[in-house]
Amino acid sequence: MSMYTYDTETSNDGDENAWIWSWALCDEEMDVKVGNGLDALDVLLGLPDLSDVYVHNLPYDGEYLYWLLIRRGYVLVYGLNPFDAHHGCFDILADGGGIITMTIYTEGRRVTLHDSLRIFREPLRDLPRICGFGDVTKGELDYLTYRT
């Protein structure tokens, strides 16, 4: 079983269009991979079987991932028994606070996303300090900058 953290940066045009324009994935060895929004889902679908991915505020990022899965032809099946799962389906466990976990079944692998905000009830910028990483800081992002 492998463990990862995953984060996205999103944007919208103020109307009904919204997208992931960048993502980052960090593994247990602190190896960080980054990419643009075009492959935001591919990096997750390529993880090893039984991977656990912690996403801070999964109810927010998970909505983007949900629609990417739907557009790829994945089918949402609530209460899916892992023994009945097959490629191209996913399951969501949610409550009034949003998505708790999202489990994706792809090409014989199971990848489960967890909402880390339910574990660490702090802003993402505070997690390095809480986890003992010293002076590591989350960079600032100018959301008003035009990006292509």
Side-chain angles (χ1 to χ4, degrees), residues 21-33:
W21 63 267
S22 71
W23 57 265
L25 179 78
C26 181
D27 66 16
E28 296 172 52
E29 306 300 320
M30 302 301 286
D31 179 34
V32 177
K33 295 179 183 172

Side-chain angles (χ1 to χ4, degrees), residues 80-110:
L80 184 62
N81 181 334
F83 297 107
D84 295 333
H86 59 278
H87 171 73
C89 60
F90 67 104
D91 186 15
I92 290 176
L93 175 62
D95 66 8
I99 300 171
I100 300 169
T101 62
M102 178 185 291
T103 303
I104 305 166
Y105 298 89
T106 183
E107 299 177 2
R109 295 185 312 276
R110 180 174 74 195

Side-chain angles (χ1 to χ4, degrees), residues 19-124:
W19 58 92
I20 295 173
W21 63 267
S22 71
W23 57 265
L25 179 78
C26 181
D27 66 16
E28 296 172 52
E29 306 300 320
M30 302 301 286
D31 179 34
V32 177
K33 295 179 183 172
V34 296
N36 64 34
L38 298 176
D39 54 359
L41 187 58
D42 294 335
V43 69
L44 296 173
L45 298 180
L47 292 175
D49 187 28
L50 302 178
S51 290
D52 286 308
V53 182
Y54 291 86
V55 181
H56 209 62
N57 198 4
L58 182 59
Y60 183 81
D61 289 349
E63 185 173 347
Y64 288 86
L65 297 171
Y66 170 91
W67 287 110
L68 288 174
L69 286 165
I70 294 295
R71 287 186 186 125
R72 290 254 182 114
Y74 281 70
V75 177
L76 174 62
V77 181
Y78 285 108
L80 184 62
N81 181 334
F83 297 107
D84 295 333
H86 59 278
H87 171 73
C89 60
F90 67 104
D91 186 15
I92 290 176
L93 175 62
D95 66 8
I99 300 171
I100 300 169
T101 62
M102 178 185 291
T103 303
I104 305 166
Y105 298 89
T106 183
E107 299 177 2
R109 295 185 312 276
R110 180 174 74 195
V111 175
T112 303
L113 310 181
H114 305 272
D115 183 14
S116 64
L117 186 57
R118 292 181 182 250
I119 300 168
F120 295 106
R121 293 282 202 197
E122 301 290 336
L124 191 57

